[in-house]
Amino acid sequence: MSSTVIVLDNGGSTIKIGVGGDRNPTLITPNSTAKSPHSLSKKLLTSDQILSSDPTSLSLRRPIDRGYLLNLDLQRDIWAHLFRTLPLPSPHSSSLLLTHPLFSLSLSPLFELVFEDFNFRSLYVSDSPSLVHLYEASRNPNGVVSRTQCSLVVDCGFSFTHCAPVFQNFTLNYGVKRIDLGGKVLTNYLKELVSYRTVNVMDETLIMDDVKEKLCFVSTDLRRDLQIARKSGKDNLFKCTYVLPDGVTHTKGFVKDVKEAQRYQTLYDGEPNSITSEEKAVDHDSEDEEDSEDRRKVDLTQNEFNLTNERFLVPEMIFRPADLGMNQAGLAECIVRSVNSCHPLLHPVLYESIILTGGSTLFPHFAERLEMELRPLVPDDYQVKITTQEDPILGVWRGGSLLASSPDFETMCATKAEYEEQGSARCSRRFFQST
């Protein structure tokens, strides 16, 4: 007897939850609870309340740290709230498809959570790369990924970055390479830069997440962009202003002038450092004075701060982790190491079927820069083709939804009866191949 499948992509930053077979999840919500410093109550904000509340100085508690589930009690509370409030089928009559990071700790606590606390009928645990591969292969039946059943999934998420070769829908564990750098590290780095240069924002995690997502981009010519960022006035194409929430007139931060923030795009439209004739006519001495006056204006009373080279220096860490003091390879070198760990016959196919997923790949010009870095490291007779998923945040969930709707999904699951009879160690073996 088939049952409804609940698909739960349990990420370090957000949870994507919905019913198998649907195109989009029922809800995308932070995988955390929070406490406001302004609240007199000891009650924590639930994950859905975080999105609607004032983000200023919210103290977040996350069950997942660096990709590992460390706080099982907190994860139980977050899931219980979701199952209680969302219009989802009852766990008692449903199966659960759950994503789990590569090389994570024992699955035993998860089996206990799923079967004993929530009483699901059955459970299937999958890693993210195989679900991304499945979705991309089904989306383009005539593409390289579908024809060869082979791809290299680059997952730049919240806690880490994985380069994972996938063959016939199984992740080749011996070829997976990991960089301990993701969206969380980038946000923390941006907080440090802004706090050192202008306003102290070390406690403003959610606000700086928003700044990073709206204003940061990947540079394709770092030397050129650093020179432009040193210019003053309107010659500095990267300068823009972000307004912090004041808790009265607006409870969310916003970009002060969106057109100003997008001026840098002229560098990528075939018009490097394009400046209008009116701007050229402006006296540069007056621009210098104007720029210094602007700097003086940016203070706590204005509730805003300027960004210049921070906009591209923060995503630069993905390609040059050594600049943050991390003794790790950049993303392009990580991809090469991952490919070289596989059979030589797979090398040309893997380079031709690189799939980008995860929220950190949403920076503008990310794929373009990665190809620039990767091309010199790859043999000339190999083609390099990089595909960004249509929605890198939902790609894993959609792959899970597709798998959950397949006819033989139930036979792949571990049932509650098997768990009670054999224990979690025996049940978990079916999910992880010795590849």
Side-chain angles (χ1 to χ4, degrees), residues 267-308:
L267 296 169
Y268 299 92
D269 296 337
E271 305 171 15
N273 205 7
S274 73
I275 302 170
T276 64
S277 56
E278 291 179 7
E279 290 171 359
K280 287 180 180 176
V282 177
D283 180 43
H284 285 281
D285 290 336
S286 64
E287 283 185 353
D288 290 342
E289 292 172 8
E290 176 189 325
D291 191 56
S292 61
E293 285 175 9
D294 283 346
R295 282 205 197 98
R296 286 197 294 271
K297 285 179 185 176
V298 175
D299 56 22
L300 286 171
T301 59
Q302 292 289 330
N303 232 30
E304 62 188 37
F305 59 84
N306 285 341
L307 290 174
T308 52

Side-chain angles (χ1 to χ4, degrees), residues 296-367:
R296 286 197 294 271
K297 285 179 185 176
V298 175
D299 56 22
L300 286 171
T301 59
Q302 292 289 330
N303 232 30
E304 62 188 37
F305 59 84
N306 285 341
L307 290 174
T308 52
N309 62 8
E310 299 95 338
R311 297 180 66 186
F312 57 85
L313 287 179
V314 169
E316 185 70 18
M317 295 304 101
I318 297 175
F319 301 94
R320 303 178 189 273
D323 291 355
L324 260 184
M326 300 176 68
N327 186 24
Q328 298 193 34
L331 183 56
E333 189 178 345
C334 188
I335 290 174
V336 172
R337 289 182 181 182
S338 177
V339 172
N340 289 341
S341 300
C342 300
H343 193 284
L345 292 176
L346 293 178
H347 291 188
V349 185
L350 289 171
Y351 283 125
E352 200 176 338
S353 54
I354 298 173
I355 303 171
L356 300 182
T357 190
S360 296
T361 64
L362 286 169
F363 291 118
H365 313 295
F366 186 97

Side-chain angles (χ1 to χ4, degrees), residues 403-421:
L403 180 62
S405 60
S406 63
D408 55 348
F409 175 75
E410 288 293 330
T411 62
M412 301 157 57
C413 296
T415 65
K416 185 177 181 182
E418 289 174 341
Y419 166 72
E420 291 172 344
E421 181 182 339

Side-chain angles (χ1 to χ4, degrees), residues 6-8 15-19 25-27 82-83 86 88 397:
I6 294 176
V7 180
L8 201 162
I15 289 177
K16 281 74 70 178
I17 185 171
V19 178
T26 305
L27 181 70
L82 294 177
F83 293 136
L86 291 179
L88 294 170
W397 189 91

Side-chain angles (χ1 to χ4, degrees), residues 218 220 268 356 364-373 386:
V218 173
T220 56
Y268 299 92
L356 300 182
H365 313 295
F366 186 97
E368 183 184 347
R369 168 64 182 277
L370 180 58
E371 186 169 351
M372 288 172 57
E373 296 258 330
I386 300 173

